[in-house]
């Protein structure tokens, strides 16, 4: 499974252009809609594997188990943004009559919707909304995959696929790898600002591939704490700090290699553009 997020860069001068918005809007949310579709009942006698796949919504959408599952997240994207894209695409045709050109994923055979408001607000943040997407549970704004009082820990769809079925899991993002949305696939924290602790959970997840922006606060508040990049290497990850290093790693990787590519903002921006 490859999981991807498109968020704007944190600095104010790097606002998403209309062209960038449309580029992301053309693909984002597609697999999220598929994940929301209910799995059809399996005609054969249920097995433990089939039961796990049914629980994770992996059977029935295309008549069987998919080879790959992609989940794209378009930041702040809902039906109004999708419809605006269709209007804009149609306007680019410059014909005599107004037309609407639907984005491709709206013509998929199965489409679903998901509420992402959180337990405390109808105007939530990335942490609680991503929690809704990956675990199907509600929590407070700023919280990642634990209940508001931290009494319960939520298992994510990515963790289930890894634990139950041995799927290889990758997280790709245009922001920092321990930022709220990508962190929601592997972390469980009372605050999205616990960047060092989130980074430690990234390493402990055992997910197969990470690529995105550099890790925030890699040594935490303590000068004696091991650097997250060193900890990742110690855990068996091949660590790259630039886009070119990461690309070379992928080209030369052996089957089963764990890889972490964490680029600085400027390098990530150039690679994306």
């Amino acid at each position: 499974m490859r999981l991807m997020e498109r968020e704007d860069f944190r600095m104010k001068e790097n606002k998403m252009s209309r062209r960038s918005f449309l580029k992301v809007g053309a693909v984002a949310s597609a697999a999220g809609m598929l994940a929301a579709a209910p799995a059809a009942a399996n005609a054969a006698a249920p097995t433990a594997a089939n039961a796990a796949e049914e629980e994770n919504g992996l059977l029935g959408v295309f008549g069987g188990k998919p080879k790959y599952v992609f989940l794209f997240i378009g930041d702040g994207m809902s039906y109004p943004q999708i419809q605006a894209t269709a209007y804009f695409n149609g306007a680019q045709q410059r014909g005599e009559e107004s037309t609407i050109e639907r984005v491709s994923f709206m013509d998929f055979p199965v489409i679903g919707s998901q509420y992402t408001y959180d337990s405390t607000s109808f105007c939530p943040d990335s942490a609680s909304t991503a929690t809704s997407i990956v675990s199907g549970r509600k929590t407070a704004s700023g919280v990642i995959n634990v209940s508001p009082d931290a009494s319960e820990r939520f298992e994510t769809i990515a963790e289930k696929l890894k634990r139950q079925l041995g799927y290889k899991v990758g997280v790709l993002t245009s922001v920092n790898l321990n930022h709220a949305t990508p962190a929601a696939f592997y972390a469980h924290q009372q605050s999205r600002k616990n960047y060092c602790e989130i980074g430690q959970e990234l390493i402990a997840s055992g997910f197969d591939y990470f690529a995105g922006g550099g890790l925030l606060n890699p040594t935490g508040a303590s000068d004696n704490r091991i650097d997250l990049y060193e900890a990742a290497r110690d855990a068996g990850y091949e660590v790259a700090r630039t886009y070119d290093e990461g690309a070379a790693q992928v080209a030369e990787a052996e089957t089963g290699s764990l890889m972490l590519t964490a680029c600085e903002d400027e390098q990530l921006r150039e690679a994306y553009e």
Side-chain angles (χ1 to χ4, degrees):
M1 172 185 282
R2 294 180 182 175
L3 310 168
M4 190 177 205
E5 176 209 12
R6 174 64 178 100
E7 281 190 358
D8 204 3
F9 288 96
R10 291 168 291 135
M11 296 181 287
K12 293 182 179 179
E13 62 267 29
N14 295 310
K15 295 180 179 178
M16 183 187 291
S17 66
R18 181 170 61 181
R19 182 177 181 183
S20 296
F21 165 76
L22 293 173
K23 185 189 300 181
V24 177
V27 294
S29 292
M33 294 175 183
L34 294 178
N42 191 6
T47 64
N50 282 340
E53 288 167 348
E54 287 179 354
E55 178 185 351
N56 293 320
L58 294 178
L59 296 178
V61 175
F62 292 110
K65 178 181 175 181
K67 184 175 182 179
Y68 302 108
V69 180
F70 295 86
L71 171 56
F72 294 84
I73 298 181
D75 187 36
M77 193 178 78
S78 186
Y79 286 113
Q81 289 75 27
I82 296 170
Q83 192 65 32
T85 302
Y87 291 151
F88 180 83
N89 288 344
Q92 298 307 294
Q93 303 304 315
R94 302 187 183 279
E96 295 183 0
E97 296 182 1
S98 298
T99 61
I100 297 176
E101 185 174 326
R102 291 160 60 88
V103 291
S104 60
F105 59 77
M106 293 305 291
D107 293 322
F108 280 9
V110 178
I111 295 176
S113 297
Q114 186 173 31
Y115 291 116
T116 56
Y117 64 84
D118 66 29
S119 62
T120 57
S121 175
F122 287 108
C123 297
D125 75 326
S126 296
S128 60
T129 54
T131 295
S132 293
I133 291 171
V134 303
S135 72
R137 304 290 298 275
K138 298 295 184 188
T139 192
S141 294
V143 177
I144 301 175
N145 288 320
V146 294
S147 58
D149 62 359
S151 63
E152 186 178 1
R153 175 187 174 110
F154 306 150
E155 187 175 29
T156 75
I157 183 65
E159 291 172 319
K160 283 187 175 184
L161 289 171
K162 187 73 173 175
R163 177 178 61 81
Q164 295 178 358
L165 300 175
Y167 271 44
K168 292 185 179 300
V169 178
V171 177
L172 291 81
T173 177
S174 59
V175 297
N176 307 88
L177 280 164
N178 53 351
H179 212 264
T181 306
F185 291 94
Y186 60 81
H188 311 79
Q189 294 289 328
Q190 282 188 276
S191 173
R192 59 180 291 173
K193 296 181 180 180
N194 294 342
Y195 296 120
C196 190
E197 291 77 7
I198 291 171
Q200 291 173 332
E201 288 199 77
L202 179 154
I203 298 166
S205 72
F207 288 0
D208 303 86
Y209 184 72
F210 292 94
L215 295 168
L216 297 169
N217 198 13
T219 58
S222 172
D223 293 335
N224 298 322
R225 182 176 292 175
I226 186 172
D227 180 87
L228 288 174
Y229 296 111
E230 292 300 321
R233 290 188 181 93
D234 291 344
Y237 281 91
E238 297 181 22
V239 178
R241 299 297 300 275
T242 69
Y243 176 83
D244 290 338
E245 287 180 6
Q249 272 188 353
V250 171
E252 300 172 1
E254 298 180 359
T255 302
S257 297
L258 301 176
M259 289 181 285
L260 168 63
T261 300
C263 306
E264 298 306 316
D265 283 354
E266 187 62 34
Q267 296 168 339
L268 187 64
R269 189 179 303 110
E270 290 175 357
Y272 177 78
E273 292 174 351

